[in-house]
Amino acid sequence: MASDVLNASPADKLAGLARQAADFDAAHGTDGETITAVNAEQNRPLFASRVKVYPKLVHGTFRRLKWAVMAITLAIYYITPWLRWDRGPNAPDQAVLLDLPARRFYFFFIEIWPQEIYYLTGLLILASLLLFLVTSLAGRVWCGYTCPQTVWTDLFIYVERLFEGERAARIRLDKSPWSLGKLARKTGKHIVWLLIAIATGGAWVFYFADAPTLASDLVTLEAPLIAYIFIGLFTGTTYLLGGIAREQVCTYMCPWPRIQGAMFDDDSLLVSYKPDRGEPRGPHKKGTSWDGRGDCIDCGQCVAACPMGIDIRDGMQLECIQCALCIDACNEIMDKVERPRNLIGYDTPANKEARRLGMKEKVRLIRPRTVIYSGLLLLVTAIMVNTFATRAQLEVNVLRDRNPLFVQLSDGSIRNGYQVKILNMDHEAADFRVAIEGLPEGVLTVQGRDTQGPQIVAAEADSLKSIKMYVILPVDALGRLDDGEAEFAFTVENLRTGEAVENATVFRGPQK
Amino acid sequence: MSTPHKDEITGVETTGHEWDDIRELNNPLPKWWVYTFYATIVWSLAYFVFMPSWPVFWNGEWTALEGVLGYSQRGAVTEELAAIEEGRADYMQAIAATDISKIQANPELMELAVAGGKALFGDNCAPCHGSGAQGFKGYPNLNDDNWIWGGTLEAIQTTITHGIRWELDDDTRFNMMPRFLTDGILSREEVGNVTDYVLAISGQGEMTEGAEAGAEIFAQQCAACHGESGAGNQELGAPNLTDAIWLYGGNRSDIYESIAKARAGVMPAWGGRLTDAEIKELTLYVHTLGGGQ
């Protein structure tokens, strides 16, 4: 009755309440109030306490896979800054280096200048497309296997297990009163957690400076303050997110679980419980028949193994990071009760439906969605490879003076000023020949030089050389300009390598 | 709009708000989130105590509590400015101690000096000469190759230090062209003839009869300063009348007015307002604009 009232529209509800009141009046001959308590149906708490999760260790394919992924990803993270890559004497030899003060990003054979930051955009687009593709194929693979939050939490749980034992022992320990042994176990765990956290923060700063130099500076307390601040920041967040907050991060902080719903479709392989096989569930006594019942013996192992503390049998839910540990947990049990494996497994909603209808199950990896994602992925990769392959070691920017637009000299000729910027991205210093093309009567000069015509400009290795140049057009040539304006180009040639580029600009004089 | 409703799939009550059939589940908030909210309240209270915050009416005016830490944005700016001054003290000293032509020969010092000069120019000179030093009528363009008082480093430095017709400076650059018509030295016709002559020698007009007459007057009245050929004299600050550049305009009426009423622009002396090192920086910057000699 109460829920009917709750589900009714406001008008119906008011009418219903009025009818109730009238009935009450008629039955009792008194005045009834049409009122309900402000907290009716509100027996739930406003704020939920956290229920601590004690994930149980499982053994199986996915646990082994996750150990391997953990080892690989952690190795990449900790070892990368120490890899060397020879770039000659004029550039750093660290394979991956984000040199913020010098404004250069180095990735093995790739060197990115500030104006090429769109390569980073390209990498981010690739990363997101890859994420979309993987998610539409096999769900939250990123979340379950490779997300740093998952990897570090897994590592921290491993340490917790070393000090406090298996799930049951950990629960017992937390319930037991404080003792010297409990204190020792807890202290030991937190110390190791902090050490891991410090190592994590420590590895982070090595990406931004020469790792061996910074390492010795850090030890001798000579490193810049900002390095210590960032180590502190990452130590704090690693300890807090990996050790303390854990599944709360995924459920309450991360936006991805909210987005993922739009990434799945009926053919996505998702970690799921097969209710058609498992139900009706219930305890099973060894030797009794399996007829008329499901394979799920309701042992709760899938829940105990879950690092998010949820029950996969409730179906797809926001909290599930699809780490697949429940698959291992269930398979261990299925082996013991001698039933087929994969009561919990990678399954698609379409197959679930197919089984219900008695049709054949199939896995469709090639679908419009995956084809489009793959196509875009290939396209962006091709564009990026192409731009990298044809990338020049020399770039020229010409900034025309706009204030003043032009200067009249005493003999009546008109002078335009240009800031010519030569980007020598080569690792060798070189001389550059700068000339103009397309303005035959124009005279090229440089502030502070007597020479007229093509100019030789020296640029350091891996640097930007900016030089102020002038083009002067004699008075008799001005009359031949079209509306006081002429297009022409600066040509710049690296005299060491022969590489040449052109940059178009314009000459302006007074309009007639 | 606000109808309590139980979501069929989750069994959770909704907030009762509905937008385009989308309803919001009223799940309980995690407690640590609430504690984080309380922590921000504590933080804001601490902020009130430590940082400038409450507006107060005190001694007849509105002001603000200063906060225990005594922080103010104005103070922070002052500190930053002092830090910058300190940071560049070395190179300002080097510029002050180095001869101006030697600065020019030192690329590193030159780069710093020109950058400093550009900022000083924007702060002090741009109102008259324009932000690009392009000048206006009566205010010379500093980009061109024409200099009234000289375009060498030394001459520019002197002009900036002492100004032009700046009476408070005894060493200021000074000259005074007579007001030929206003003061009755020449008649209207004579001024017109001189104007024609000046147009002729600057390549804007023919040598007419009037111009011939003007040439004679020019030789008597103008050549002493502007030179016999009219090419000017930088020692005296007399402009070159034969080139294409005119400070007060080069058409007939402009030139006529210049002769009839004379022109006497004023530039302040910057010695004493700017330090010697700053004047050196400005000199070097102006010299690099494209016309330095």
Side-chain angles (χ1 to χ4, degrees):
Chain A
M1 181 67 201
S3 66
D4 286 350
V5 170
L6 273 170
N7 284 325
S9 73
D12 291 345
K13 187 178 157 193
L14 275 177
L17 287 170
R19 214 166 32 245
Q20 278 180 32
D23 290 350
F24 186 87
D25 290 353
H28 296 87
T30 61
D31 282 354
E33 288 288 349
T34 56
I35 193 168
T36 52
V38 288
N39 60 349
E41 286 275 312
Q42 297 278 339
N43 50 3
R44 293 176 300 110
L46 265 178
F47 307 115
S49 297
R50 181 178 174 190
V51 181
K52 197 171 175 186
V53 180
Y54 298 89
K56 188 181 177 183
L57 180 66
V58 294
H59 305 277
T61 318
F62 293 103
R63 182 63 269 182
R64 279 197 298 277
L65 180 63
K66 275 173 66 77
W67 288 134
V69 171
M70 183 202 279
I72 293 165
T73 48
L74 288 177
I76 290 173
Y77 178 71
Y78 287 111
I79 293 171
T80 305
W82 298 91
L83 299 177
R84 302 288 106 183
W85 190 271
D86 186 25
R87 295 187 183 86
N90 296 317
D93 66 345
Q94 187 157 318
V96 175
L97 177 65
L98 307 177
D99 191 350
L100 294 178
R103 287 162 181 79
R104 299 279 185 280
F105 288 179
Y106 300 96
F107 299 98
F108 298 92
F109 60 95
I110 299 168
E111 180 189 338
I112 292 180
W113 282 47
Q115 76 276 12
E116 298 173 305
I117 200 73
Y118 52 80
Y119 282 124
L120 201 63
T121 313
L123 283 178
L124 289 175
I125 292 173
L126 280 184
S128 45
L129 283 173
L130 201 61
L131 189 64
F132 298 166
L133 176 64
V134 168
T135 305
S136 70
L137 283 176
R140 293 171 65 180
V141 172
W142 164 258
C143 299
Y145 298 86
T146 46
C147 174
Q149 175 64 27
T150 298
V151 171
W152 262 271
T153 300
D154 219 9
L155 181 64
F156 276 45
I157 292 173
Y158 173 78
V159 172
E160 187 169 80
R161 204 174 276 134
L162 285 184
F163 280 93
E164 300 180 7
E166 239 323 324
R167 174 182 151 83
R170 297 211 294 279
I171 296 173
R172 260 200 316 278
L173 187 70
D174 276 1
K175 278 188 182 155
S176 70
W178 280 98
S179 68
L180 214 54
K182 181 173 177 177
L183 189 69
R185 283 166 189 276
K186 291 275 178 192
T187 314
K189 175 182 83 173
H190 284 284
I191 287 173
V192 175
W193 278 1
L194 269 173
L195 288 176
I196 295 171
I198 290 169
T200 308
W204 178 259
V205 297
F206 291 144
Y207 284 86
F208 298 87
D210 185 58
T213 317
L214 182 59
S216 71
D217 283 355
L218 282 171
V219 176
T220 55
L221 299 181
E222 282 167 0
L225 180 64
I226 192 77
Y228 293 105
I229 290 175
F230 267 92
I231 292 177
L233 192 69
F234 277 79
T235 303
T237 48
T238 309
Y239 176 76
L240 188 71
L241 301 185
I244 313 290
R246 292 188 185 172
E247 80 286 346
Q248 299 286 309
V249 176
C250 309
T251 309
Y252 293 111
M253 296 178 175
C254 183
W256 183 236
R258 275 90 185 153
I259 300 168
Q260 60 153 332
M263 303 276 157
F264 299 155
D265 58 23
D266 282 350
D267 290 300
S268 301
L269 284 163
L270 307 174
V271 174
S272 15
Y273 166 69
K274 293 168 184 159
D276 49 293
R277 211 191 108 187
E279 302 296 328
R281 68 178 85 145
H284 178 260
K285 208 169 178 185
K286 201 167 180 183
T288 57
S289 161
W290 289 93
D291 292 339
R293 57 156 295 151
D295 284 348
C296 178
I297 62 167
D298 211 4
C299 62
Q301 290 301 307
C302 52
V303 183
C306 180
M308 303 300 293
I310 56 163
D311 188 341
I312 190 71
R313 295 171 298 177
D314 292 343
M316 188 165 84
Q317 46 208 301
L318 178 95
E319 291 87 347
C320 177
I321 60 169
Q322 304 204 344
C323 64
L325 289 179
C326 50
I327 301 181
D328 283 345
C330 187
N331 282 346
E332 278 184 79
I333 299 300
M334 287 298 112
D335 289 350
K336 272 187 196 145
V337 299
E338 294 172 343
R339 297 297 295 168
R341 287 181 147 228
N342 294 330
L343 174 60
I344 300 172
Y346 274 99
D347 192 18
T348 72
N351 281 344
K352 194 167 145 191
E353 186 65 10
R355 288 195 301 273
R356 193 177 70 81
L357 299 171
M359 283 154 58
K360 200 168 172 268
E361 293 181 48
K362 58 182 171 198
V363 176
R364 287 176 60 219
L365 294 181
I366 301 166
R367 315 192 292 274
R369 184 183 294 241
T370 59
V371 170
I372 291 170
Y373 288 149
S374 313
L376 286 173
L377 206 57
L378 283 175
L379 182 71
V380 177
T381 311
I383 291 172
M384 287 194 52
V385 167
N386 183 44
T387 49
F388 268 125
T390 57
R391 186 167 171 263
Q393 294 295 307
L394 169 62
E395 199 176 310
V396 172
N397 292 317
V398 176
L399 299 177
R400 192 183 171 282
D401 280 4
R402 282 166 297 181
N403 184 17
L405 270 174
F406 54 83
V407 174
Q408 184 172 43
L409 300 181
S410 52
D411 62 0
S413 57
I414 296 293
R415 193 189 71 202
N416 279 199
Y418 301 88
Q419 196 72 39
V420 178
K421 295 186 172 187
I422 302 173
L423 281 69
N424 180 21
M425 296 188 257
D426 205 12
H427 291 306
E428 298 283 342
D431 282 345
F432 293 83
R433 182 181 181 276
V434 184
I436 53 172
E437 229 177 69
L439 201 65
E441 281 150 312
V443 178
L444 182 68
T445 65
V446 172
Q447 204 278 318
R449 283 190 197 173
D450 293 330
T451 50
Q452 297 191 331
Q455 306 282 339
I456 305 298
V457 179
E460 301 281 309
D462 201 43
S463 71
L464 182 149
K465 174 76 179 178
S466 182
I467 188 163
K468 184 67 175 282
M469 297 191 141
Y470 297 110
V471 174
I472 300 168
L473 206 57
V475 69
D476 51 335
L478 283 169
R480 292 193 287 277
L481 291 185
D482 186 19
D483 207 19
E485 200 174 295
E487 287 177 2
F488 73 104
F490 277 86
T491 60
V492 178
E493 183 190 353
N494 183 333
L495 293 177
R496 197 183 67 82
T497 62
E499 188 172 5
V501 291
E502 206 177 86
N503 195 299
T505 181
V506 72
F507 183 93
R508 283 217 168 90
Q511 289 181 333
K512 276 164 271 179
Chain B
M1 175 182 153
S2 182
T3 317
H5 175 82
K6 226 174 213 173
D7 181 60
E8 284 169 18
I9 298 168
T10 55
V12 176
E13 193 174 293
T14 67
T15 55
H17 303 153
E18 188 177 332
W19 296 272
D20 295 342
D21 278 350
I22 297 172
R23 298 189 188 92
E24 188 183 6
L25 296 183
N26 195 11
N27 278 309
L29 208 58
K31 268 194 183 149
W32 61 263
W33 208 331
V34 185
Y35 295 143
T36 310
F37 176 59
Y38 293 157
T40 62
I41 294 172
V42 173
W43 172 269
S44 70
L45 290 177
Y47 201 90
F48 276 131
V49 175
F50 287 103
M51 299 297 274
S53 50
W54 292 110
V56 284
F57 195 73
W58 189 260
N59 281 343
E61 61 171 340
W62 280 102
T63 175
L65 289 183
E66 285 183 0
V68 175
L69 293 179
Y71 173 87
S72 81
Q73 291 189 333
R74 190 179 293 275
V77 169
T78 312
E79 270 175 36
E80 280 173 24
L81 285 176
I84 290 171
E85 287 293 334
E86 201 187 310
R88 62 183 182 191
D90 281 351
Y91 101 83
M92 284 306 274
Q93 266 166 14
I95 285 175
T98 313
D99 193 62
I100 195 159
S101 56
K102 288 196 177 126
I103 298 175
Q104 208 180 16
N106 179 337
E108 192 190 356
L109 214 49
M110 181 68 182
E111 194 181 329
L112 292 166
V114 169
K118 186 174 184 178
L120 287 165
F121 190 91
D123 287 348
N124 299 292
C125 317
C128 291
H129 287 284
S131 59
Q134 77 275 24
F136 302 99
K137 186 175 182 180
Y139 303 96
N141 182 346
L142 305 176
N143 294 284
D144 61 28
D145 58 346
N146 180 276
W147 298 90
I148 296 168
W149 293 95
T152 61
L153 284 173
E154 204 184 339
I156 296 171
Q157 192 175 16
T158 305
T159 304
I160 297 174
T161 309
H162 300 294
I164 293 166
R165 299 185 193 93
W166 188 252
E167 291 174 0
L168 301 175
D169 189 311
D170 291 339
D171 298 321
T172 194
R173 296 203 185 267
F174 191 87
N175 65 14
M176 192 58 77
M177 176 167 156
R179 299 181 289 181
F180 286 97
L181 183 68
T182 312
D183 291 344
I185 303 168
L186 298 174
S187 67
R188 283 179 188 279
E189 193 191 344
E190 286 170 326
V191 172
N193 289 339
V194 175
T195 304
D196 286 339
Y197 176 67
V198 171
L199 285 168
I201 59 174
S202 60
Q204 300 183 81
E206 301 295 317
M207 244 343 207
T208 57
E209 213 169 297
E212 297 281 2
E216 276 177 44
I217 303 167
F218 189 91
Q220 290 162 12
Q221 301 284 359
C222 316
C225 292
H226 288 286
E228 281 177 32
S229 65
N233 184 342
Q234 292 183 348
E235 293 287 307
L236 302 170
N240 183 347
L241 305 176
T242 61
D243 64 16
I245 293 168
W246 299 91
L247 182 55
Y248 290 93
N251 62 31
R252 194 173 194 286
S253 66
D254 285 332
I255 295 173
Y256 185 94
E257 193 184 338
S258 293
I259 298 169
K261 299 179 183 170
R263 313 273 194 179
V266 175
M267 169 172 150
W270 294 92
R273 293 210 216 179
L274 301 177
T275 66
D276 285 351
E278 286 172 329
I279 288 178
K280 278 186 189 174
E281 290 188 330
L282 261 179
T283 303
L284 288 162
Y285 171 68
V286 170
H287 192 263
T288 59
L289 286 175
Q293 289 162 347

